[in-house]
mmCIF file of all heavy atoms in Angstrom:
data_model
loop_
_atom_site.group_PDB
_atom_site.id
_atom_site.type_symbol
_atom_site.label_atom_id
_atom_site.label_comp_id
_atom_site.label_asym_id
_atom_site.label_seq_id
_atom_site.Cartn_x
_atom_site.Cartn_y
_atom_site.Cartn_z
ATOM 1 N N TYR A 193 0.837 -1.204 0.000
ATOM 2 C CA TYR A 193 0.000 0.000 0.000
ATOM 3 C C TYR A 193 0.874 1.257 0.000
ATOM 4 O O TYR A 193 1.814 1.385 0.788
ATOM 5 C CB TYR A 193 -0.929 0.038 1.221
ATOM 6 C CG TYR A 193 -1.941 1.163 1.128
ATOM 7 C CD1 TYR A 193 -3.134 0.991 0.432
ATOM 8 C CD2 TYR A 193 -1.674 2.415 1.689
ATOM 9 C CE1 TYR A 193 -4.052 2.020 0.306
ATOM 10 C CE2 TYR A 193 -2.588 3.456 1.572
ATOM 11 C CZ TYR A 193 -3.770 3.269 0.878
ATOM 12 O OH TYR A 193 -4.666 4.285 0.751
ATOM 13 N N LEU A 194 0.531 2.211 -0.916
ATOM 14 C CA LEU A 194 1.232 3.495 -1.023
ATOM 15 C C LEU A 194 0.328 4.581 -0.450
ATOM 16 O O LEU A 194 -0.824 4.718 -0.871
ATOM 17 C CB LEU A 194 1.574 3.812 -2.488
ATOM 18 C CG LEU A 194 2.609 2.939 -3.217
ATOM 19 C CD1 LEU A 194 3.908 2.862 -2.461
ATOM 20 C CD2 LEU A 194 2.053 1.579 -3.560
ATOM 21 N N ASN A 195 0.854 5.384 0.486
ATOM 22 C CA ASN A 195 0.018 6.405 1.126
ATOM 23 C C ASN A 195 -0.095 7.669 0.285
ATOM 24 O O ASN A 195 0.340 7.705 -0.881
ATOM 25 C CB ASN A 195 0.514 6.694 2.546
ATOM 26 C CG ASN A 195 1.844 7.430 2.552
ATOM 27 O OD1 ASN A 195 2.347 7.872 1.517
ATOM 28 N ND2 ASN A 195 2.427 7.558 3.730
ATOM 29 N N GLU A 196 -0.657 8.735 0.903
ATOM 30 C CA GLU A 196 -0.919 9.966 0.150
ATOM 31 C C GLU A 196 0.351 10.659 -0.334
ATOM 32 O O GLU A 196 0.309 11.478 -1.253
ATOM 33 C CB GLU A 196 -1.747 10.946 0.999
ATOM 34 C CG GLU A 196 -1.022 11.507 2.224
ATOM 35 C CD GLU A 196 -1.130 10.601 3.441
ATOM 36 O OE1 GLU A 196 -1.606 9.436 3.283
ATOM 37 O OE2 GLU A 196 -0.761 11.039 4.547
ATOM 38 N N ASP A 197 1.505 10.323 0.260
ATOM 39 C CA ASP A 197 2.775 10.900 -0.175
ATOM 40 C C ASP A 197 3.564 9.948 -1.055
ATOM 41 O O ASP A 197 4.709 10.238 -1.435
ATOM 42 C CB ASP A 197 3.621 11.284 1.045
ATOM 43 C CG ASP A 197 2.966 12.384 1.872
ATOM 44 O OD1 ASP A 197 2.464 13.347 1.258
ATOM 45 O OD2 ASP A 197 2.949 12.273 3.111
ATOM 46 N N GLY A 198 2.953 8.809 -1.361
ATOM 47 C CA GLY A 198 3.620 7.845 -2.231
ATOM 48 C C GLY A 198 4.482 6.835 -1.504
ATOM 49 O O GLY A 198 5.089 5.969 -2.144
ATOM 50 N N TRP A 199 4.574 6.920 -0.170
ATOM 51 C CA TRP A 199 5.423 5.997 0.583
ATOM 52 C C TRP A 199 4.714 4.652 0.777
ATOM 53 O O TRP A 199 3.519 4.594 1.070
ATOM 54 C CB TRP A 199 5.758 6.565 1.962
ATOM 55 C CG TRP A 199 6.621 7.793 1.923
ATOM 56 C CD1 TRP A 199 6.225 9.071 2.150
ATOM 57 C CD2 TRP A 199 8.006 7.838 1.632
ATOM 58 N NE1 TRP A 199 7.281 9.931 2.025
ATOM 59 C CE2 TRP A 199 8.401 9.204 1.690
ATOM 60 C CE3 TRP A 199 8.965 6.885 1.313
ATOM 61 C CZ2 TRP A 199 9.691 9.625 1.467
ATOM 62 C CZ3 TRP A 199 10.267 7.309 1.074
ATOM 63 C CH2 TRP A 199 10.620 8.647 1.148
ATOM 64 N N MET A 200 5.496 3.578 0.642
ATOM 65 C CA MET A 200 4.978 2.247 0.937
ATOM 66 C C MET A 200 4.890 2.100 2.460
ATOM 67 O O MET A 200 5.864 2.328 3.182
ATOM 68 C CB MET A 200 5.901 1.177 0.367
ATOM 69 C CG MET A 200 5.391 -0.244 0.574
ATOM 70 S SD MET A 200 6.619 -1.483 0.071
ATOM 71 C CE MET A 200 7.778 -1.367 1.456
ATOM 72 N N LEU A 201 3.699 1.738 2.938
ATOM 73 C CA LEU A 201 3.509 1.574 4.381
ATOM 74 C C LEU A 201 4.120 0.258 4.863
ATOM 75 O O LEU A 201 4.139 -0.743 4.140
ATOM 76 C CB LEU A 201 2.026 1.618 4.711
ATOM 77 C CG LEU A 201 1.306 2.944 4.414
ATOM 78 C CD1 LEU A 201 -0.147 2.872 4.899
ATOM 79 C CD2 LEU A 201 2.027 4.119 5.071
ATOM 80 N N LYS A 202 4.625 0.287 6.107
ATOM 81 C CA LYS A 202 5.207 -0.907 6.728
ATOM 82 C C LYS A 202 4.707 -1.025 8.168
ATOM 83 O O LYS A 202 4.581 -0.017 8.875
ATOM 84 C CB LYS A 202 6.736 -0.824 6.742
ATOM 85 C CG LYS A 202 7.402 -0.709 5.392
ATOM 86 C CD LYS A 202 8.914 -0.605 5.573
ATOM 87 C CE LYS A 202 9.640 -0.406 4.263
ATOM 88 N NZ LYS A 202 11.112 -0.287 4.464
ATOM 89 N N ASP A 203 4.461 -2.274 8.587
ATOM 90 C CA ASP A 203 4.136 -2.585 9.979
ATOM 91 C C ASP A 203 3.066 -1.645 10.534
ATOM 92 O O ASP A 203 3.239 -1.025 11.591
ATOM 93 C CB ASP A 203 5.411 -2.502 10.824
ATOM 94 C CG ASP A 203 5.212 -3.119 12.215
ATOM 95 O OD1 ASP A 203 4.275 -3.930 12.366
ATOM 96 O OD2 ASP A 203 5.981 -2.769 13.125
ATOM 97 N N THR A 204 1.994 -1.523 9.782
ATOM 98 C CA THR A 204 0.909 -0.630 10.205
ATOM 99 C C THR A 204 -0.391 -1.069 9.544
ATOM 100 O O THR A 204 -0.404 -1.988 8.704
ATOM 101 C CB THR A 204 1.222 0.833 9.837
ATOM 102 O OG1 THR A 204 0.249 1.690 10.454
ATOM 103 C CG2 THR A 204 1.197 1.050 8.336
ATOM 104 N N THR A 205 -1.442 -0.398 9.917
ATOM 105 C CA THR A 205 -2.746 -0.657 9.307
ATOM 106 C C THR A 205 -3.024 0.411 8.255
ATOM 107 O O THR A 205 -2.853 1.610 8.501
ATOM 108 C CB THR A 205 -3.862 -0.638 10.360
ATOM 109 O OG1 THR A 205 -3.602 -1.650 11.346
ATOM 110 C CG2 THR A 205 -5.220 -0.912 9.723
ATOM 111 N N THR A 206 -3.446 -0.025 7.086
ATOM 112 C CA THR A 206 -3.706 0.910 5.990
ATOM 113 C C THR A 206 -4.998 1.679 6.258
ATOM 114 O O THR A 206 -5.799 1.275 7.097
ATOM 115 C CB THR A 206 -3.825 0.155 4.654
ATOM 116 O OG1 THR A 206 -4.968 -0.722 4.735
ATOM 117 C CG2 THR A 206 -2.562 -0.647 4.382
ATOM 118 N N PRO A 207 -5.210 2.789 5.539
ATOM 119 C CA PRO A 207 -6.443 3.569 5.755
ATOM 120 C C PRO A 207 -7.723 2.765 5.580
ATOM 121 O O PRO A 207 -8.755 3.101 6.184
ATOM 122 C CB PRO A 207 -6.330 4.683 4.714
ATOM 123 C CG PRO A 207 -4.866 4.843 4.501
ATOM 124 C CD PRO A 207 -4.302 3.459 4.605
ATOM 125 N N ASP A 208 -7.673 1.697 4.766
ATOM 126 C CA ASP A 208 -8.877 0.894 4.566
ATOM 127 C C ASP A 208 -8.916 -0.329 5.492
ATOM 128 O O ASP A 208 -9.704 -1.254 5.287
ATOM 129 C CB ASP A 208 -9.028 0.472 3.101
ATOM 130 C CG ASP A 208 -7.772 -0.150 2.524
ATOM 131 O OD1 ASP A 208 -6.760 -0.209 3.235
ATOM 132 O OD2 ASP A 208 -7.810 -0.553 1.350
ATOM 133 N N GLY A 209 -8.011 -0.342 6.496
ATOM 134 C CA GLY A 209 -8.135 -1.313 7.569
ATOM 135 C C GLY A 209 -7.394 -2.611 7.430
ATOM 136 O O GLY A 209 -7.649 -3.559 8.184
ATOM 137 N N PHE A 210 -6.415 -2.700 6.511
ATOM 138 C CA PHE A 210 -5.644 -3.936 6.354
ATOM 139 C C PHE A 210 -4.255 -3.754 6.958
ATOM 140 O O PHE A 210 -3.663 -2.677 6.876
ATOM 141 C CB PHE A 210 -5.532 -4.329 4.877
ATOM 142 C CG PHE A 210 -6.848 -4.695 4.260
ATOM 143 C CD1 PHE A 210 -7.633 -3.726 3.634
ATOM 144 C CD2 PHE A 210 -7.309 -5.995 4.311
ATOM 145 C CE1 PHE A 210 -8.858 -4.068 3.073
ATOM 146 C CE2 PHE A 210 -8.531 -6.334 3.742
ATOM 147 C CZ PHE A 210 -9.310 -5.364 3.127
ATOM 148 N N TYR A 211 -3.729 -4.828 7.495
ATOM 149 C CA TYR A 211 -2.408 -4.747 8.117
ATOM 150 C C TYR A 211 -1.339 -5.160 7.111
ATOM 151 O O TYR A 211 -1.479 -6.162 6.390
ATOM 152 C CB TYR A 211 -2.336 -5.657 9.344
ATOM 153 C CG TYR A 211 -0.969 -5.652 9.998
ATOM 154 C CD1 TYR A 211 -0.548 -4.584 10.787
ATOM 155 C CD2 TYR A 211 -0.102 -6.717 9.787
ATOM 156 C CE1 TYR A 211 0.715 -4.574 11.367
ATOM 157 C CE2 TYR A 211 1.165 -6.722 10.363
ATOM 158 C CZ TYR A 211 1.574 -5.641 11.145
ATOM 159 O OH TYR A 211 2.836 -5.637 11.709
ATOM 160 N N VAL A 212 -0.239 -4.368 7.049
ATOM 161 C CA VAL A 212 0.942 -4.710 6.239
ATOM 162 C C VAL A 212 2.100 -4.920 7.208
ATOM 163 O O VAL A 212 2.257 -4.181 8.192
ATOM 164 C CB VAL A 212 1.267 -3.625 5.201
ATOM 165 C CG1 VAL A 212 0.231 -3.602 4.100
ATOM 166 C CG2 VAL A 212 1.381 -2.251 5.845
ATOM 167 N N ASP A 213 2.915 -5.929 6.931
ATOM 168 C CA ASP A 213 3.982 -6.297 7.865
ATOM 169 C C ASP A 213 5.219 -5.414 7.694
ATOM 170 O O ASP A 213 5.178 -4.387 6.995
ATOM 171 C CB ASP A 213 4.325 -7.780 7.715
ATOM 172 C CG ASP A 213 4.908 -8.134 6.346
ATOM 173 O OD1 ASP A 213 5.387 -7.215 5.623
ATOM 174 O OD2 ASP A 213 4.893 -9.332 5.988
ATOM 175 N N ALA A 214 6.321 -5.819 8.311
ATOM 176 C CA ALA A 214 7.552 -5.021 8.307
ATOM 177 C C ALA A 214 8.145 -4.873 6.912
ATOM 178 O O ALA A 214 8.949 -3.966 6.666
ATOM 179 C CB ALA A 214 8.571 -5.638 9.256
ATOM 180 N N ASP A 215 7.777 -5.759 5.985
ATOM 181 C CA ASP A 215 8.239 -5.652 4.594
ATOM 182 C C ASP A 215 7.217 -4.953 3.716
ATOM 183 O O ASP A 215 7.404 -4.862 2.501
ATOM 184 C CB ASP A 215 8.519 -7.054 4.033
ATOM 185 C CG ASP A 215 9.695 -7.723 4.718
ATOM 186 O OD1 ASP A 215 10.670 -7.001 5.046
ATOM 187 O OD2 ASP A 215 9.635 -8.946 4.933
ATOM 188 N N GLY A 216 6.134 -4.474 4.311
ATOM 189 C CA GLY A 216 5.103 -3.776 3.552
ATOM 190 C C GLY A 216 4.079 -4.685 2.925
ATOM 191 O O GLY A 216 3.206 -4.225 2.176
ATOM 192 N N VAL A 217 4.151 -6.001 3.196
ATOM 193 C CA VAL A 217 3.275 -6.974 2.555
ATOM 194 C C VAL A 217 1.976 -7.114 3.355
ATOM 195 O O VAL A 217 1.992 -7.224 4.587
ATOM 196 C CB VAL A 217 3.969 -8.345 2.452
ATOM 197 C CG1 VAL A 217 3.025 -9.381 1.829
ATOM 198 C CG2 VAL A 217 5.245 -8.215 1.627
ATOM 199 N N TRP A 218 0.852 -7.111 2.645
ATOM 200 C CA TRP A 218 -0.452 -7.295 3.283
ATOM 201 C C TRP A 218 -0.525 -8.672 3.911
ATOM 202 O O TRP A 218 -0.222 -9.685 3.273
ATOM 203 C CB TRP A 218 -1.566 -7.129 2.246
ATOM 204 C CG TRP A 218 -2.923 -7.593 2.722
ATOM 205 C CD1 TRP A 218 -3.523 -7.285 3.901
ATOM 206 C CD2 TRP A 218 -3.811 -8.460 2.012
ATOM 207 N NE1 TRP A 218 -4.744 -7.898 3.999
ATOM 208 C CE2 TRP A 218 -4.961 -8.623 2.833
ATOM 209 C CE3 TRP A 218 -3.768 -9.095 0.778
ATOM 210 C CZ2 TRP A 218 -6.045 -9.418 2.463
ATOM 211 C CZ3 TRP A 218 -4.847 -9.875 0.394
ATOM 212 C CH2 TRP A 218 -5.965 -10.025 1.236
#
């Protein structure tokens, strides 16, 4: 998942509620 600034999210929950791990993988 890429956020509003284009960064790939890591180890967090995306705005639509899915978790991505430390490598950014859902």
